[in-house]
Amino acid sequence: MSASGGTKAIVAALAANLAIAVAKFVAFLFSGSSSMLAESVHSLADSGNQGLLLLGGKKAQREATPQHPFGYGRERYIYAFLVSIVLFSVGGMFAIYEGYEKIKHPHEITHWYWPVGVLVFAIIAETFSFRTAIKESNTIRGKQSWKEFVRHAKAPELPVVLLEDLGALVGLVLALIGVGLALGTGDGVWDGIGTLCIGILLIAIAIVLAAETKSLLLGEAAGVEDVRKIEAALVDGDTVPAIIHMRTLHLGPEELLVAAKIAVRHDETATEVAAAIDAAESRIREAVPIARVIYLEPDIYSETEAAKGADPEAAPGGPVPTAEH
């Protein structure tokens, strides 16, 4: 994901959420609608989330240090994980609590035009933000479905904004339904039910975000297409006839570590092996520009071993041998 594309989507979402949060809170003060209060807290939490994403992107740009030799690219994953926690605790749990209280102690909504007008305004603003996120995502999504994009994207910002905006739009519709039923029936319980549904929705989205970001924090390999490009770039059939085994790891959304044991011919000199490794590194970086850190270990080429194919269980990352007793 380009940093500019992600930042554009985040800023659009931040502007929309700040405006919506203020409008919803004003509507709550005039109408007493719990849905409006829950939605104003939701929008405020979303605004904080966008601030966290921007902060994470800024911190991730710091130069590598002796203590952190691979840089700070994973800061973006950490702050995206914090977003899921904020969405769960501040947005979801507050909405559930407020919905429960309103169901237990319902009261009539006054000045109905305030919540209805604000909800319509909020839907328009969130649609603009969602449209921006979709447009920026389409530039890098390729042929992936939206589900695959959210699950496999290495840059967390756009999936986070997409899910937040989707949750916000669905939440606004739920709030509008709750307020409408409360006004139509004269029973404030419906307003509380709408608020409760918003809380459940936010918690569900927060759980999805937490699960996907946790995977990135643990360390994910390069995508299938990038792995194929790296393998094709490594093996030239002459100086590097085969790959014995290879591992990749995302150090950040736009920084990839490649570690591989490559086969070289037994009669090559140290100078020739070194030249082969340098050439292989250049080919990898040309094929996959985000491959910034590359470690290649040479080993003697054997036609017998090559016939077995690449060893998927070779260390590092393979199964640990079981000690015999």
Side-chain angles (χ1 to χ4, degrees):
M1 183 195 78
S2 66
S4 59
T7 301
K8 184 177 180 180
I10 295 170
V11 171
L14 177 59
N17 280 317
L18 285 174
I20 292 169
V22 173
K24 288 175 180 175
F25 191 71
V26 171
F28 160 71
L29 292 177
F30 279 95
S31 68
S33 167
S34 68
S35 291
M36 283 294 92
L37 179 58
E39 276 294 314
S40 65
V41 173
H42 172 198
S43 295
L44 192 62
D46 280 353
S47 299
N49 289 340
Q50 273 97 54
L52 286 172
L53 292 176
L54 291 172
L55 181 61
K58 184 69 175 178
K59 285 183 171 291
Q61 295 174 7
R62 288 179 293 171
E63 296 292 331
T65 64
Q67 188 175 6
H68 297 92
F70 293 113
Y72 293 85
R74 289 195 180 183
E75 289 267 18
R76 289 164 67 179
Y77 300 151
I78 293 171
Y79 280 87
F81 188 76
L82 289 176
V83 164
S84 67
I85 296 174
V86 172
L87 192 63
F88 178 91
S89 58
V90 178
M93 297 304 292
F94 177 82
I96 286 181
Y97 169 78
E98 184 65 22
Y100 171 77
E101 285 295 315
K102 188 59 181 285
I103 291 172
K104 191 175 179 180
H105 306 291
H107 61 80
E108 185 179 356
I109 296 176
T110 59
H111 304 290
W112 63 268
Y113 41 85
W114 275 101
V116 172
V118 167
L119 285 172
V120 172
F121 163 73
I123 288 173
I124 294 171
E126 285 290 358
T127 300
F128 167 76
S129 174
F130 193 38
R131 179 178 174 274
T132 302
I134 289 174
K135 182 179 178 181
E136 297 300 326
S137 299
N138 279 333
T139 61
I140 61 171
R141 184 167 63 95
K143 297 181 180 179
Q144 290 180 310
S145 67
W146 285 108
K147 180 180 178 181
E148 290 173 335
F149 175 70
V150 170
R151 289 192 60 187
H152 302 302
K154 306 303 180 186
E157 290 86 356
L158 282 176
V160 168
V161 173
L162 280 168
L163 287 175
E164 276 190 351
D165 285 349
L166 177 61
L169 280 171
V170 176
L172 288 167
V173 172
L174 290 173
L176 191 59
I177 292 172
V179 170
L181 288 173
L183 292 172
T185 62
D187 190 350
V189 168
W190 288 107
D191 187 30
I193 292 174
T195 307
L196 197 64
C197 291
I198 292 168
I200 294 171
L201 171 69
L202 293 179
I203 287 176
I205 291 175
I207 290 172
V208 172
L209 282 177
E212 297 304 324
T213 312
K214 174 190 172 185
S215 179
L216 292 169
L217 278 171
L218 288 173
E220 288 190 358
V224 175
E225 287 300 318
D226 282 343
V227 169
R228 288 174 181 167
K229 290 178 182 178
I230 292 169
E231 289 175 340
L234 259 178
V235 179
D236 66 354
D238 183 20
T239 59
V240 181
I243 299 171
I244 298 172
H245 66 83
M246 183 178 77
R247 296 289 184 270
T248 61
L249 178 69
H250 268 275
L251 301 174
E254 293 152 6
E255 188 168 12
L256 187 65
L257 180 148
V258 179
K261 178 176 281 191
I262 57 175
V264 296
R265 302 190 186 280
H266 73 280
D267 56 350
E268 290 183 338
T269 65
T271 301
E272 291 172 331
V273 170
I277 290 174
D278 290 342
E281 289 180 354
S282 296
R283 293 195 300 271
I284 291 172
R285 290 192 171 95
E286 184 177 353
V288 183
I290 66 170
R292 310 266 176 86
V293 183
I294 303 173
Y295 297 115
L296 301 180
E297 178 187 355
D299 202 349
I300 301 300
Y301 176 73
S302 166
E303 290 186 0
T304 302
E305 292 298 318
K308 298 178 182 179
D311 181 4
E313 298 186 351
V320 178
T322 304
E324 295 183 1
H325 299 282

